[in-house]
Amino acid sequence: MLKDTDFKLLYTSGEDDEPSCFMFDALSNSIQFDLALGYFRSTGFSTLALGFSTFIMNGGLMRFIINDSLADKDKNSIIQGQSEKTNEEYEEEMLKDLNNLSKILTKRNKHFFECLSWLISSDRLQLIAVAPNRNKIGIVHHKFGIFTDENGDKAAFSGSLNFSQYALNYNVENIWCEYSWQNNTTNGRIDAMVNLFEKTWSGQSKTVRIIPIEKVKTAIYNKFPKKKTLTELLETECELAKEAMNHPTSSTGFKERIEKIIKDLEINIKLNKAEPFIQDLGNSNNQFDTLNTKPHFPYEEGPRDYQVRAYENWVENNYKGIFAMATGTGKTITSLNCLLNEYRKNGSTVYRALILVPTITLVEQWEKEVQSFNFNEIYKISSKNEWQNTVTTLISSAKRIPLSFILICTYASFIKGKFQNLIKSLKSDTIFIADEGHNIASQIVLDKLSSLHLDKRIGLSATPKRVYDLEGTAAMEEFFSDKEPYVFSFSMEKAIRDKVLCEYYYFPHIVKLSEDELIEYGKISKQLSKLYSYEKKPDRESMIERLLLKRKRIIHKAANKLSTTIEILKEHFKNMGNLKYTFVYVPEGDTYESFGDEDITSQASIRLINQYTREIAKIDENILVNQFISGMHDRDEILNQFQNGEISVIASMKCLDEGVDIPRAEMAIFCSSTGNPRQFIQRRGRILRKHSEKKHAIIHDLVVVPDYETKNRENHELERGLVRKELERVMYFASLSKNPYYTEDIFKEICNYYNLNIYTIQSELTTL
């Protein structure tokens, strides 16, 4: 990595830290090199030969902006304003110079061009020439470059250095260097270089014009066809390094760097020779997989029948559609299989996708799933990642050459101007995948999607229908050119029947509102009743929304939930001797929908989750309980410890709702009452994921009802509405459980009191 290299600020010819030392260190630790240097001789590139094969092994991409002349006579004629050559004449001069050069190659020159040819053959060399605009004389004489590593860190240089062999090896030259990990001022200077490079590269500069020189690349490849393997390139480079090490004119600093290069090359040669055997052992994380293994389905048995059918239906619907698949049925794998099939179609060599996800946690999880398919060109875009320069360069390059990439972006970063400006340049066949696709119905996202030009679209959701938002649902369906029953649907009922998800037992527990809570609930309901009777106006709509949230908070935070939770856990501990693999969904202190890179955790929520955590820990000294909330830096470690049984209980809130994969969870207690099907269906799916050591799952659900035994007839209809709403969720759960009649027995008395029938309620619902 660049950040781990001992770079200097100033490199001067003849000193221990000379310009060529910087070039070696930077090139061998980078995956991209952008160079904008005016007058040079082609032989100057050979000075980079000692870092070149390592750069290739790292998957390096090179972009060069050169001036329009390679020979001295061209340079002089342009300076004097005597040259008015056409683009074709400039290109012919370059080809002539290249032809002359190829006749007098040293061993190092030849190695350089063999490496260059390797990059050309794999579409990883991009080369343009520039000349002054017609109304200007002189030459284009940029002198700067930017190296980028796989973490997005950058090392940039500028100075008096001409990129010729004479300048690099004999002149007294110096370069100043900047490093992105230093400070904001440094980053500002690097950004300025990146912007200048991109402006010139894209042809937007007012001072220069671009001269196409594709013939030069073709000529290089024809003269130096790709004959050697990567191992042979590494071996040749190692020989050259040893020769340079023993050269009498080499400085002490230069020799130190060469010594390190030799050691690194010897290690890389051994690893590269061993790569086929490592691959046979199934080490998919080996850094050389990207050079030798194409994208493939991650499991030997291939995609399931329903995943094949989903792809076929999507294609038939003109490459658009919603995959309405129950949580835990493999929505991610199903969508990536579509990408894989499109990549394989017609012998394609590139893949391109933009994937939107709700949270940073899901960015990381999607990255792992994408890597399992051996799609390796992954770029993460969120508030956690420094992505802008790298992705800007990528998208700019992809307009000219066929580059593979997968962009995994949070919805929060997607809607911002920085990213919106970039995606306009994506090729129209880039596959757009919206995870938890119901999120795109948010107006702020829909506004940005209205002009999206990507033709191939997939929406993933266990719950495409947005409760209380028919307009948002309609807009989402229109965007994906789909409607119920959708391009592909996989219900939870079918998933359990087909053993894609595990079976479960469902135990609802009646929790009564306290007297104070019921009084407050009644007051708010009366206020709402009056407001509903008036004509709709914006100010009243806002007031209604606030009152609804306030009333919902009473249900969420019902005081009796905590004591009921502890009773359930104590009983389970008494029967099983432990509480391993247990989730507790704690009530939120506030009730609102957040839209950002992660869920918002309010101070009220923190107080509640702390209270629950303390009380659970008191059950027994051997119980280890931990929280799982947004903003925690060790969340992955917590989940791993939970999977291994080191942590018994995880207390969480909304941040476990969407996409987090924890198949080892066996029991869940839902303390947070919600009337939103999307939320409780997500939570049910989270606990039903299969695991080899899990026979079934257990769900305990805390159902809030009034204290109906007081026979308070004044609020009877109000109470009945509250109970009915809770029973809708209950029947979603009970209808697919292994013990549905348990629910009937639990609610028999309360249903009789309020004249409700749970099976009538069930028949009015759509099983999800």
Side-chain angles (χ1 to χ4, degrees):
M1 297 297 104
L2 290 171
K3 196 173 183 179
D4 300 327
T5 307
D6 184 21
F7 284 117
K8 311 298 180 184
L9 293 177
L10 176 67
Y11 290 81
T12 303
S13 304
E15 302 293 334
D16 283 348
D17 297 312
E18 55 187 60
S20 56
C21 294
F22 169 78
M23 297 296 176
F24 298 151
D25 288 342
L27 190 60
S28 59
N29 285 285
S30 300
I31 62 169
Q32 181 164 322
F33 180 26
D34 293 334
L35 177 64
L37 284 176
Y39 177 61
F40 66 90
R41 290 284 298 177
S42 304
T43 51
F45 282 125
S46 66
T47 308
L48 295 175
L50 295 184
F52 218 146
S53 62
T54 303
F55 180 78
I56 290 173
M57 187 187 69
N58 292 340
L61 168 70
M62 305 184 83
R63 297 193 303 169
F64 291 109
I65 298 173
I66 62 176
N67 73 11
D68 50 296
S69 64
L70 295 176
D72 290 331
K73 59 185 179 66
D74 285 332
K75 169 189 174 244
N76 293 331
S77 65
I78 289 178
I79 290 176
Q80 296 166 13
Q82 298 171 354
S83 177
E84 284 293 338
K85 290 187 177 69
T86 65
N87 289 350
E88 292 74 17
E89 288 172 327
Y90 281 128
E91 189 168 41
E92 290 304 318
E93 289 287 350
M94 294 177 190
L95 290 170
K96 182 179 177 181
D97 183 77
L98 178 63
N99 186 56
N100 292 334
L101 173 67
S102 66
K103 298 174 182 177
I104 53 172
L105 288 177
T106 65
K107 185 177 180 181
R108 184 181 291 187
N109 293 146
K110 185 179 179 183
H111 173 66
F112 165 77
F113 278 103
E114 286 173 342
C115 289
L116 207 63
S117 182
W118 183 289
L119 285 179
I120 291 171
S121 69
S122 57
D123 289 321
R124 287 193 274 139
L125 174 73
Q126 302 166 44
L127 184 67
I128 64 170
V130 292
N133 278 334
R134 296 291 184 186
N135 61 343
K136 296 182 181 293
I137 63 172
I139 61 171
V140 180
H141 212 226
H142 292 307
K143 298 179 182 180
F144 69 91
I146 307 118
F147 295 90
T148 306
D149 67 15
E150 63 186 53
N151 290 332
D153 287 326
K154 296 183 184 298
F157 70 91
S158 60
S160 68
L161 180 68
N162 279 318
F163 213 70
S164 66
Q165 190 175 31
Y166 197 89
L168 284 165
N169 293 334
Y170 304 112
N171 286 357
V172 177
E173 305 276 358
N174 64 68
I175 56 173
W176 287 96
C177 301
E178 311 274 359
Y179 309 104
S180 62
W181 54 90
Q182 288 183 327
N183 54 55
N184 291 334
T185 302
T186 293
N187 272 313
R189 288 194 285 261
I190 292 176
D191 287 344
M193 289 190 212
V194 170
N195 291 336
L196 177 59
F197 187 95
E198 296 298 340
K199 189 175 181 180
T200 305
W201 184 267
S202 63
Q204 297 177 15
S205 172
K206 297 179 180 178
T207 57
V208 301
R209 59 190 174 96
I210 293 177
I211 300 170
I213 53 172
E214 284 303 308
K215 288 182 182 178
V216 174
K217 286 173 62 175
T218 303
I220 292 172
Y221 185 76
N222 289 339
K223 290 179 183 296
F224 306 95
K226 182 180 172 184
K227 294 180 180 178
K228 288 187 175 181
T229 64
L230 179 57
T231 300
E232 289 171 329
L233 288 179
L234 290 165
E235 289 173 337
T236 299
E237 194 161 302
C238 194
E239 292 173 12
L240 292 171
K242 290 176 180 177
E243 291 174 8
M245 180 79 175
N246 298 321
H247 198 281
T249 62
S250 297
S251 68
T252 302
F254 180 82
K255 287 182 178 180
E256 288 176 355
R257 274 149 176 99
I258 294 297
E259 186 176 8
K260 181 180 183 302
I261 286 173
I262 291 170
K263 290 180 181 178
D264 290 343
L265 283 167
E266 288 174 343
I267 292 172
N268 290 335
I269 289 166
K270 291 177 182 178
L271 287 172
N272 208 47
K273 285 181 177 179
E275 194 275 331
F277 303 102
I278 295 172
Q279 202 173 59
D280 288 343
L281 291 174
N283 184 355
S284 62
N285 292 321
N286 188 275
Q287 63 178 314
F288 304 104
D289 282 355
T290 58
L291 297 174
N292 298 298
T293 305
K294 292 183 177 181
H296 55 263
F297 198 80
Y299 307 113
E300 276 188 32
E301 62 271 21
R304 299 181 184 223
D305 290 343
Y306 70 83
Q307 291 169 329
V308 173
R309 189 163 65 256
Y311 171 69
E312 293 171 346
N313 293 354
W314 177 65
V315 172
E316 188 176 339
N317 197 48
N318 198 27
Y319 300 94
K320 292 182 177 68
I322 295 171
F323 294 173
M325 301 174 64
T327 300
T329 56
K331 295 188 294 292
T332 304
I333 297 292
T334 304
S335 63
L336 290 176
N337 184 55
C338 293
L339 176 61
L340 179 65
N341 282 320
E342 289 301 292
Y343 162 77
R344 288 172 170 172
K345 189 182 292 184
N346 302 322
S348 176
T349 58
V350 297
Y351 49 84
R352 291 183 285 264
L354 168 59
I355 301 168
L356 297 192
V357 300
T359 65
I360 292 173
T361 300
L362 281 175
V363 171
E364 306 299 328
Q365 190 160 303
W366 265 88
E367 180 185 29
K368 293 175 183 177
E369 295 281 16
V370 169
Q371 287 172 337
S372 73
F373 277 77
N374 209 49
F375 292 124
N376 291 288
E377 304 303 322
I378 303 169
Y379 300 84
K380 297 184 289 187
I381 300 163
S382 73
S383 61
K384 182 181 177 182
N385 304 105
E386 295 292 334
W387 58 268
Q388 190 171 1
N389 290 338
T390 303
V391 175
T392 300
T393 300
L394 167 76
I395 293 177
S396 174
S397 303
K399 289 193 293 186
R400 291 170 179 76
I401 62 171
L403 286 178
S404 292
F405 59 82
I406 294 181
L407 309 176
I408 308 175
C409 179
T410 60
Y411 283 94
S413 293
F414 171 78
I415 63 177
K416 292 178 180 175
K418 290 180 181 178
F419 190 66
Q420 284 294 309
N421 291 334
L422 290 176
I423 61 175
K424 296 173 184 176
S425 299
L426 292 177
K427 289 186 176 293
S428 61
D429 64 349
T430 302
I431 296 178
F432 175 81
I433 301 173
D435 190 19
E436 308 300 346
H438 43 265
N439 286 297
I440 78 160
S442 169
Q443 191 58 51
I444 191 171
V445 180
L446 281 174
D447 289 343
K448 302 300 181 183
L449 289 174
S450 61
S451 58
L452 190 72
H453 63 290
L454 306 184
D455 298 326
K456 299 180 178 180
R457 305 173 182 180
I458 300 173
L460 305 176
S461 181
T463 53
K465 290 290 184 184
R466 285 174 64 94
V467 177
Y468 315 124
D469 185 10
L470 297 179
E471 290 182 2
T473 300
M476 177 186 66
E477 293 177 343
E478 180 180 359
F479 177 78
F480 289 109
S481 299
D482 203 0
K483 59 183 179 180
E484 285 190 291
Y486 300 120
V487 159
F488 184 73
S489 297
F490 199 130
S491 69
M492 185 164 286
E493 180 179 11
K494 178 174 172 55
I496 294 172
R497 186 175 64 245
D498 292 354
K499 301 189 184 305
V500 175
L501 297 177
C502 73
E503 296 180 309
Y504 68 97
Y505 290 90
Y506 175 62
F507 299 102
H509 301 263
I510 293 176
V511 177
K512 297 176 182 178
L513 288 177
S514 68
E515 185 176 350
D516 290 341
E517 289 168 341
L518 186 56
I519 291 172
E520 182 64 18
Y521 191 94
K523 287 180 180 178
I524 296 171
S525 296
K526 288 177 181 178
Q527 289 177 278
L528 285 168
S529 179
K530 290 179 181 179
L531 288 170
Y532 280 131
S533 65
Y534 296 138
E535 182 183 350
K536 286 188 176 181
K537 290 184 178 180
D539 59 334
R540 291 200 184 103
E541 291 293 312
S542 176
M543 190 179 300
I544 287 172
E545 185 176 348
R546 287 197 301 271
L547 287 172
L548 285 171
L549 289 175
K550 188 176 180 181
R551 189 173 68 172
K552 189 186 295 184
R553 193 172 298 123
I554 295 173
I555 303 299
H556 279 312
K557 296 169 62 177
N560 291 326
K561 286 183 177 181
L562 178 55
S563 58
T564 304
T565 299
I566 299 304
E567 289 174 10
I568 294 168
L569 291 174
K570 283 182 176 179
E571 183 66 21
H572 188 81
F573 184 81
K574 178 182 176 182
N575 294 333
M576 304 300 296
N578 65 73
L579 293 179
K580 285 185 178 181
Y581 316 121
T582 297
F583 277 168
V584 177
Y585 278 96
V586 177
E588 297 101 41
D590 291 302
T591 54
Y592 48 76
E593 296 245 351
S594 64
F595 193 81
D597 279 351
E598 287 289 6
D599 296 316
I600 298 171
T601 304
S602 69
Q603 290 300 313
S605 294
I606 291 172
R607 286 194 295 272
L608 266 176
I609 199 169
N610 286 343
Q611 185 181 9
Y612 272 74
T613 303
R614 285 194 302 270
E615 294 303 314
I616 294 169
K618 290 178 182 178
I619 294 174
D620 189 273
E621 61 182 8
N622 294 316
I623 296 172
L624 181 57
V625 56
N626 217 321
Q627 297 176 3
F628 189 86
I629 58 176
S630 61
M632 297 177 67
H633 298 296
D634 57 348
R635 297 202 300 174
D636 287 343
E637 182 181 349
I638 290 171
L639 292 180
N640 288 333
Q641 290 177 338
F642 177 80
Q643 302 270 38
N644 297 331
E646 298 167 33
I647 293 175
S648 300
V649 181
I650 284 182
S652 182
M653 286 182 283
K654 288 175 63 177
C655 56
L656 273 177
D657 282 355
E658 295 185 323
V660 180
D661 189 5
I662 315 175
R664 196 65 184 94
E666 294 184 359
M667 184 171 81
I669 302 177
F670 295 163
C671 307
S672 181
S673 303
T674 172
N676 187 342
R678 170 160 52 89
Q679 195 172 66
F680 62 70
I681 289 167
Q682 292 277 8
R683 294 177 179 182
R684 176 174 57 175
R686 196 73 53 236
I687 198 72
L688 299 189
R689 294 178 186 268
K690 298 199 72 173
H691 189 277
S692 58
E693 298 181 32
K694 182 163 106 179
K695 296 179 180 179
H696 57 258
I698 299 172
I699 297 174
H700 293 275
D701 187 17
L702 307 193
V703 183
V704 177
V705 299
D707 186 1
Y708 63 93
E709 293 175 351
T710 60
K711 311 296 184 184
N712 184 354
R713 306 301 300 183
E714 180 183 351
N715 294 319
H716 181 79
E717 286 305 310
L718 170 66
E719 295 170 9
R720 185 176 188 275
L722 168 62
V723 172
R724 193 188 191 288
K725 193 65 182 175
E726 287 285 270
L727 287 178
E728 287 180 6
R729 182 182 80 255
V730 167
M731 293 316 297
Y732 269 120
F733 283 124
S735 61
L736 299 182
S737 70
K738 289 176 65 67
N739 60 330
Y741 297 111
Y742 178 88
T743 298
E744 182 180 5
D745 293 339
I746 290 292
F747 287 94
K748 185 176 182 179
E749 184 179 345
I750 196 169
C751 282
N752 289 337
Y753 178 76
Y754 288 110
N755 192 27
L756 292 170
N757 187 304
I758 58 174
Y759 297 110
T760 301
I761 293 173
Q762 180 184 341
S763 67
E764 295 173 358
L765 302 174
T766 300
T767 302
L768 297 172

